Amino acid sequence: MSKKLFIETLGCQMNTRDTEHIIAELSVHGNYTPTLNSSEADLIIINTCSVREKPVAKLFSELGQFNKIKKDGAKIGVCGCTASHLGGEIIKRAPYVDFVVGARNVSKISYAVENKGTIEIDINNDETSYEFSEYRSSNFKANINISLGCDKQCTFCIVPATRGDEISIPPEIILNEVRKSVNSGMKEIFLLGQNVNNYGKHFSNKESDKWTFTKLLQEISKVEGVERIRFTSPHPLHMDDEFIEEFTSNPKICKLIHVPLQSGSTKILKDMKRGYTKEWFLNRCEKIKSKIPNVRISTDIIVAFPGETEKDFLDTLDVVEQVKFDQIFNFKYSPRPNTPAATMEQIESEIGTRRLQTLIDLHKTHQDEHMKKNIGTVHKVYFEDLKPNGEIMGFSDNGLQVFVKGSEELLGKIINVEITHNSRTSLKGIIIE
Ligand code: SAH
Ligand code: F3S
């Protein structure tokens, strides 16, 4: 009889892919099938995030809850970045936890489940050539890792300490995954890495040395059956002209791009060790926009980084005003253990809260402006989800969420939709084939 696995995934898209790998490995090597009901599970896993303090604080209260409701004999495991970061301390604080498996040790999951007390958190572990078993949470788009870890040392960020140094996955493994995915009917490929446009800088196998992200994009777009390519996250520093040219001219690459700003102040960017200036960032966005009129740009912004003055914050608002981002993931700076910024002079919390609100309010005006412009336009929508209210949902090439009335037969199709209504975050329309 198969056993049941409940897994909760926090954090970024890399964690989403790690969760797919965990499910795949445990299905093949442990006979587990996923369940959405934690109280009937034989194994409960939290795949954690440690990028900000809040989710870490929540982990122990959540573990306590799971311990109360779990069925007799069920195991509990902690995976992901907080596992890498806290390691054995997790079992010390919550002794009912059976194992801890870090973000760089996913291939050890089956062993850990079978061996109580396992702590696998080596951030130098090289899984770039490990062949994970197959499991995908979507029938329509395939998440594919192209690199592990991150080589940057942004002074606010804990990721290099939880996911280790950057290593690129060999191109033949990536292309093989792409082929397998399209052969099973998927049209969209989502490439994942902390710093995707640095692809090719380090391989564990030197033979792949000539590869760049641009070349990888070109080769993937040649694979028959690939209709859409997305990726996250690129780094603004590595957005050279060659990359922008490929992004703008390759019709298979979707025209929504994440360009993580973090701050609009060149002084703060320097303190963050981001490696670019306000002017470089604006120039890159301008270049992309001038080549593709309907491009959409998303970003990440941190407010109240240590030492951020009102003037620095005005620089951030100025970039937001000039670029008019389509989507902003806003964060109030959260000090992370063992990162350089945690020991710099901190800003009062209320100032951060106020700046965050100012930014959110400004961004809302831009969102409203952008979304209204879609009325009457036609988008190619790739349908992927049937809603209980008879609507079917998909995304346009440039990442707009679109709902239409429709049924199951639209799933997996890319169809023209004329937009009739908008909200701040999504659109409604009618099919116009
Ligand atoms: N490699 C990715 C970043 C991963 S972390 C990139 O360059 O886009 C995701 C986002 O979390 C970051 O872009 C940053 O905006 C935010 N973040 C990271 N550390 C943070 C911290 N200490 N406090 C607040 N936000 C943080
Ligand atoms: Fe973090 Fe900077 Fe890398 S934000 S993940 S250290 S690019």
Side-chain angles (χ1 to χ4, degrees), residues 51 149-161 163-164 166 193-195 233-236 238 260 262 272-274 300 302:
V51 86
C150 181
D151 262 0
K152 297 272 181 277
Q153 296 290 330
C154 301
T155 54
F156 52 80
C157 187
I158 199 170
V159 172
R163 290 189 175 267
E166 187 175 300
Q194 294 299 338
N195 196 353
S233 292
H235 194 295
H238 302 295
Q262 312 302 358
M272 288 175 162
K273 285 220 169 87
R274 289 289 290 177
D300 288 349
I302 298 176

Side-chain angles (χ1 to χ4, degrees), residues 64-296:
Q65 289 299 324
F66 282 137
N67 189 40
K68 268 196 213 133
I69 57 105
K70 72 170 189 175
K71 94 181 182 193
D72 254 5
K75 297 175 186 172
I76 299 184
V78 177
C79 296
C81 283
T82 308
S84 310
H85 164 50
L86 294 180
E89 202 190 313
I90 295 176
I91 298 187
K92 273 201 203 121
R93 280 178 67 180
Y96 48 82
V97 168
D98 290 274
F99 61 87
V100 175
V101 171
R104 190 80 175 232
N105 308 85
V106 182
S107 60
K108 310 276 173 58
I109 189 70
S110 314
Y111 172 85
V113 170
E114 290 312 316
N115 292 276
K116 191 172 165 59
T118 298
I119 299 167
E120 288 282 357
I121 53 166
D122 176 11
I123 61 162
N124 296 312
N125 186 37
D126 183 355
E127 296 187 319
T128 50
S129 295
Y130 182 83
E131 282 203 33
F132 285 99
S133 310
E134 269 294 301
Y135 171 83
R136 299 203 178 267
S137 46
S138 162
N139 293 327
F140 309 108
K141 48 189 178 191
N143 295 320
I144 297 182
N145 288 342
I146 66 163
S147 57
L148 306 179
C150 181
D151 262 0
K152 297 272 181 277
Q153 296 290 330
C154 301
T155 54
F156 52 80
C157 187
I158 199 170
V159 172
T162 62
R163 290 189 175 267
D165 288 345
E166 187 175 300
I167 317 185
S168 301
I169 292 174
E172 57 276 17
I173 294 187
I174 298 172
L175 285 162
N176 207 10
E177 270 202 69
V178 170
R179 278 184 221 107
K180 263 205 234 159
S181 305
V182 291
N183 287 343
S184 68
M186 301 190 190
K187 297 188 164 97
E188 187 170 306
I189 301 297
F190 205 135
L191 305 174
L192 299 174
Q194 294 299 338
N195 196 353
V196 285
N197 48 348
N198 203 29
Y199 180 79
K201 196 166 156 220
H202 305 294
F203 290 97
S204 26
N205 152 10
K206 291 277 167 245
E207 282 154 39
S208 307
D209 267 2
K210 291 275 176 299
W211 283 73
T212 62
F213 186 52
T214 302
K215 180 163 177 206
L216 183 68
L217 288 171
Q218 288 165 343
E219 292 305 313
I220 292 175
S221 50
K222 282 185 207 152
V223 175
E224 201 174 325
V226 171
E227 297 201 28
R228 290 183 165 194
I229 304 171
R230 300 187 190 276
F231 51 82
T232 206
S233 292
H235 194 295
L237 177 66
H238 302 295
M239 291 195 176
D240 54 21
D241 288 349
E242 184 198 62
F243 165 77
I244 292 185
E245 185 53 38
E246 185 62 28
F247 174 74
T248 54
S249 63
N250 184 333
K252 300 221 169 145
I253 302 180
C254 293
K255 301 303 183 256
L256 162 66
I257 187 161
H258 188 64
V259 195
L261 170 65
Q262 312 302 358
S263 168
S265 153
T266 296
K267 147 94 177 42
I268 296 293
L269 287 169
K270 195 159 175 237
D271 293 348
M272 288 175 162
K273 285 220 169 87
R274 289 289 290 177
Y276 52 89
T277 60
K278 175 186 182 185
E279 288 68 32
W280 168 262
F281 185 93
L282 284 170
N283 172 280
R284 297 295 91 185
C285 291
E286 208 28 65
K287 189 148 193 163
I288 293 170
K289 279 181 165 186
S290 68
K291 287 175 179 252
I292 325 166
N294 70 339
V295 72
R296 295 177 72 242

Side-chain angles (χ1 to χ4, degrees), residues 311-330:
K311 186 171 161 296
D312 293 318
F313 179 58
L314 287 176
D315 272 325
T316 297
L317 293 181
D318 184 40
V319 174
V320 171
E321 192 58 63
Q322 291 196 52
V323 179
K324 293 195 179 9
F325 296 103
D326 293 273
Q327 206 176 1
I328 305 184
F329 301 93
N330 295 296

